[in-house]
Short mmCIF file of all heavy atoms in Angstrom, two decimals:
data_model
loop_
_atom_site.label_atom_id
_atom_site.label_comp_id
_atom_site.label_asym_id
_atom_site.label_seq_id
_atom_site.Cartn_x
_atom_site.Cartn_y
_atom_site.Cartn_z
N ARG W 63 -25.03 15.05 -7.40
CA ARG W 63 -23.59 14.86 -7.36
C ARG W 63 -22.93 15.90 -6.51
O ARG W 63 -23.33 17.05 -6.45
CB ARG W 63 -23.00 14.83 -8.74
CG ARG W 63 -23.24 16.12 -9.55
CD ARG W 63 -22.57 16.03 -10.90
NE ARG W 63 -22.81 17.26 -11.67
CZ ARG W 63 -22.12 17.62 -12.70
NH1 ARG W 63 -21.12 16.87 -13.11
NH2 ARG W 63 -22.39 18.71 -13.37
N TYR W 64 -21.83 15.47 -5.81
CA TYR W 64 -21.07 16.35 -4.98
C TYR W 64 -19.59 16.21 -5.36
O TYR W 64 -19.11 15.09 -5.54
CB TYR W 64 -21.22 15.98 -3.51
CG TYR W 64 -22.62 16.04 -2.99
CD1 TYR W 64 -23.42 14.91 -2.97
CD2 TYR W 64 -23.16 17.26 -2.54
CE1 TYR W 64 -24.72 14.95 -2.48
CE2 TYR W 64 -24.46 17.33 -2.04
CZ TYR W 64 -25.24 16.16 -2.02
OH TYR W 64 -26.52 16.21 -1.55
N ASP W 65 -18.93 17.33 -5.50
CA ASP W 65 -17.49 17.32 -5.78
C ASP W 65 -16.78 17.03 -4.47
O ASP W 65 -16.83 17.81 -3.53
CB ASP W 65 -17.07 18.69 -6.33
CG ASP W 65 -15.62 18.71 -6.79
OD1 ASP W 65 -14.85 17.81 -6.36
OD2 ASP W 65 -15.25 19.60 -7.54
N ILE W 66 -16.12 15.85 -4.38
CA ILE W 66 -15.44 15.45 -3.15
C ILE W 66 -13.92 15.38 -3.40
O ILE W 66 -13.21 14.69 -2.68
CB ILE W 66 -15.98 14.10 -2.62
CG1 ILE W 66 -15.83 13.00 -3.67
CG2 ILE W 66 -17.39 14.24 -2.18
CD1 ILE W 66 -16.12 11.62 -3.15
N THR W 67 -13.45 16.13 -4.40
CA THR W 67 -12.04 16.09 -4.75
C THR W 67 -11.16 16.49 -3.55
O THR W 67 -10.18 15.84 -3.23
CB THR W 67 -11.75 17.01 -5.93
OG1 THR W 67 -12.56 16.59 -7.03
CG2 THR W 67 -10.27 16.92 -6.33
N GLN W 68 -11.50 17.60 -2.89
CA GLN W 68 -10.70 18.07 -1.75
C GLN W 68 -10.73 17.06 -0.60
O GLN W 68 -9.72 16.83 0.04
CB GLN W 68 -11.20 19.44 -1.29
CG GLN W 68 -10.89 20.56 -2.25
CD GLN W 68 -9.40 20.69 -2.50
OE1 GLN W 68 -8.59 20.68 -1.54
NE2 GLN W 68 -9.02 20.84 -3.73
N LYS W 69 -11.87 16.43 -0.39
CA LYS W 69 -11.98 15.42 0.66
C LYS W 69 -11.02 14.27 0.35
O LYS W 69 -10.33 13.78 1.26
CB LYS W 69 -13.41 14.91 0.73
CG LYS W 69 -13.61 13.74 1.71
CD LYS W 69 -15.02 13.19 1.61
CE LYS W 69 -15.16 11.95 2.48
NZ LYS W 69 -16.48 11.31 2.35
N LYS W 70 -10.96 13.84 -0.92
CA LYS W 70 -10.09 12.76 -1.29
C LYS W 70 -8.61 13.13 -1.12
O LYS W 70 -7.75 12.31 -0.75
CB LYS W 70 -10.36 12.30 -2.72
CG LYS W 70 -11.67 11.53 -2.87
CD LYS W 70 -11.59 10.21 -2.14
CE LYS W 70 -12.82 9.38 -2.34
NZ LYS W 70 -12.74 8.07 -1.63
N ILE W 71 -8.29 14.39 -1.44
CA ILE W 71 -6.93 14.88 -1.26
C ILE W 71 -6.52 14.79 0.20
O ILE W 71 -5.43 14.31 0.53
CB ILE W 71 -6.79 16.29 -1.80
CG1 ILE W 71 -6.91 16.31 -3.31
CG2 ILE W 71 -5.45 16.93 -1.38
CD1 ILE W 71 -6.94 17.69 -3.94
N TYR W 72 -7.43 15.24 1.09
CA TYR W 72 -7.13 15.22 2.53
C TYR W 72 -7.02 13.77 3.04
O TYR W 72 -6.15 13.45 3.87
CB TYR W 72 -8.19 15.94 3.31
CG TYR W 72 -8.24 17.44 3.03
CD1 TYR W 72 -9.46 18.11 2.93
CD2 TYR W 72 -7.06 18.17 2.82
CE1 TYR W 72 -9.50 19.47 2.67
CE2 TYR W 72 -7.12 19.52 2.54
CZ TYR W 72 -8.34 20.17 2.46
OH TYR W 72 -8.37 21.50 2.20
N GLU W 73 -7.88 12.89 2.51
CA GLU W 73 -7.82 11.48 2.92
C GLU W 73 -6.46 10.88 2.50
O GLU W 73 -5.86 10.09 3.29
CB GLU W 73 -8.94 10.69 2.29
CG GLU W 73 -10.32 10.98 2.90
CD GLU W 73 -11.43 10.22 2.22
OE1 GLU W 73 -11.16 9.58 1.15
OE2 GLU W 73 -12.58 10.27 2.67
N LYS W 74 -6.00 11.18 1.30
CA LYS W 74 -4.73 10.66 0.83
C LYS W 74 -3.58 11.16 1.68
O LYS W 74 -2.64 10.41 2.03
CB LYS W 74 -4.51 11.00 -0.63
CG LYS W 74 -3.25 10.41 -1.24
CD LYS W 74 -3.11 10.71 -2.70
CE LYS W 74 -1.83 10.10 -3.28
NZ LYS W 74 -1.71 10.38 -4.75
N LEU W 75 -3.62 12.45 2.03
CA LEU W 75 -2.55 13.01 2.85
C LEU W 75 -2.50 12.35 4.21
O LEU W 75 -1.41 12.16 4.76
CB LEU W 75 -2.78 14.53 3.01
CG LEU W 75 -2.51 15.39 1.78
CD1 LEU W 75 -2.94 16.83 2.06
CD2 LEU W 75 -1.05 15.35 1.38
N SER W 76 -3.63 11.95 4.74
CA SER W 76 -3.68 11.39 6.08
C SER W 76 -3.09 10.00 6.13
O SER W 76 -2.73 9.52 7.22
CB SER W 76 -5.14 11.36 6.58
OG SER W 76 -5.89 10.37 5.93
N ILE W 77 -2.94 9.33 5.00
CA ILE W 77 -2.42 7.96 4.99
C ILE W 77 -1.09 7.86 4.25
O ILE W 77 -0.57 6.78 4.01
CB ILE W 77 -3.42 6.96 4.37
CG1 ILE W 77 -3.68 7.30 2.90
CG2 ILE W 77 -4.71 6.92 5.18
CD1 ILE W 77 -4.56 6.26 2.19
N THR W 78 -0.50 9.02 3.93
CA THR W 78 0.71 9.05 3.09
C THR W 78 1.88 9.64 3.89
O THR W 78 1.73 10.67 4.57
CB THR W 78 0.50 9.88 1.82
OG1 THR W 78 -0.58 9.31 1.09
CG2 THR W 78 1.73 9.87 0.94
N ASP W 79 3.03 9.00 3.81
CA ASP W 79 4.24 9.54 4.39
C ASP W 79 4.71 10.73 3.56
O ASP W 79 4.88 10.62 2.35
CB ASP W 79 5.33 8.48 4.44
CG ASP W 79 6.66 9.02 4.92
OD1 ASP W 79 6.72 9.44 6.09
OD2 ASP W 79 7.62 9.06 4.14
N ALA W 80 4.91 11.88 4.20
CA ALA W 80 5.19 13.10 3.49
C ALA W 80 6.52 13.03 2.71
O ALA W 80 6.62 13.61 1.61
CB ALA W 80 5.22 14.28 4.45
N LEU W 81 7.53 12.39 3.23
CA LEU W 81 8.81 12.34 2.57
C LEU W 81 8.83 11.40 1.38
O LEU W 81 9.22 11.79 0.27
CB LEU W 81 9.91 11.94 3.56
CG LEU W 81 11.31 11.77 2.96
CD1 LEU W 81 11.84 13.10 2.44
CD2 LEU W 81 12.27 11.20 3.99
N THR W 82 8.42 10.16 1.59
CA THR W 82 8.61 9.13 0.57
C THR W 82 7.40 8.90 -0.31
O THR W 82 7.49 8.25 -1.35
CB THR W 82 8.93 7.78 1.25
OG1 THR W 82 7.81 7.38 2.04
CG2 THR W 82 10.16 7.92 2.13
N GLN W 83 6.21 9.43 0.11
CA GLN W 83 4.97 9.22 -0.61
C GLN W 83 4.48 7.79 -0.56
O GLN W 83 3.53 7.43 -1.29
CB GLN W 83 5.07 9.71 -2.06
CG GLN W 83 5.36 11.20 -2.19
CD GLN W 83 4.36 12.08 -1.46
OE1 GLN W 83 3.17 12.04 -1.76
NE2 GLN W 83 4.81 12.86 -0.50
N LEU W 84 5.06 6.94 0.26
CA LEU W 84 4.51 5.62 0.52
C LEU W 84 3.40 5.75 1.54
O LEU W 84 3.24 6.81 2.19
CB LEU W 84 5.57 4.68 1.05
CG LEU W 84 6.78 4.36 0.15
CD1 LEU W 84 7.69 3.36 0.85
CD2 LEU W 84 6.36 3.87 -1.21
N TYR W 85 2.63 4.68 1.72
CA TYR W 85 1.65 4.68 2.80
C TYR W 85 2.40 4.80 4.15
O TYR W 85 3.53 4.32 4.29
CB TYR W 85 0.84 3.40 2.80
CG TYR W 85 -0.12 3.28 1.66
CD1 TYR W 85 -0.14 2.14 0.83
CD2 TYR W 85 -1.04 4.28 1.41
CE1 TYR W 85 -1.03 2.03 -0.21
CE2 TYR W 85 -1.95 4.18 0.36
CZ TYR W 85 -1.94 3.04 -0.45
OH TYR W 85 -2.81 2.93 -1.48
N ASN W 86 1.73 5.44 5.14
CA ASN W 86 2.37 5.62 6.44
C ASN W 86 2.01 4.51 7.40
O ASN W 86 1.25 3.57 7.08
CB ASN W 86 2.01 7.00 7.03
CG ASN W 86 0.52 7.20 7.18
OD1 ASN W 86 -0.27 6.25 7.26
ND2 ASN W 86 0.09 8.45 7.24
N ARG W 87 2.53 4.60 8.64
CA ARG W 87 2.32 3.56 9.64
C ARG W 87 0.83 3.44 9.99
O ARG W 87 0.33 2.33 10.24
CB ARG W 87 3.13 3.84 10.88
CG ARG W 87 2.98 2.84 12.03
CD ARG W 87 3.48 1.45 11.56
NE ARG W 87 3.34 0.45 12.59
CZ ARG W 87 4.31 0.12 13.44
NH1 ARG W 87 5.50 0.71 13.37
NH2 ARG W 87 4.13 -0.81 14.32
#
Side-chain angles (χ1 to χ4, degrees):
R63 58 177 179 163
Y64 300 95
D65 186 341
I66 58 171
T67 303
Q68 289 302 314
K69 175 186 174 184
K70 286 295 183 179
I71 291 174
Y72 295 142
E73 287 178 353
K74 183 176 181 180
L75 288 173
S76 73
I77 63 174
T78 302
D79 175 65
L81 176 65
T82 65
Q83 299 303 301
L84 298 183
Y85 290 128
N86 59 21
R87 179 62 180 266

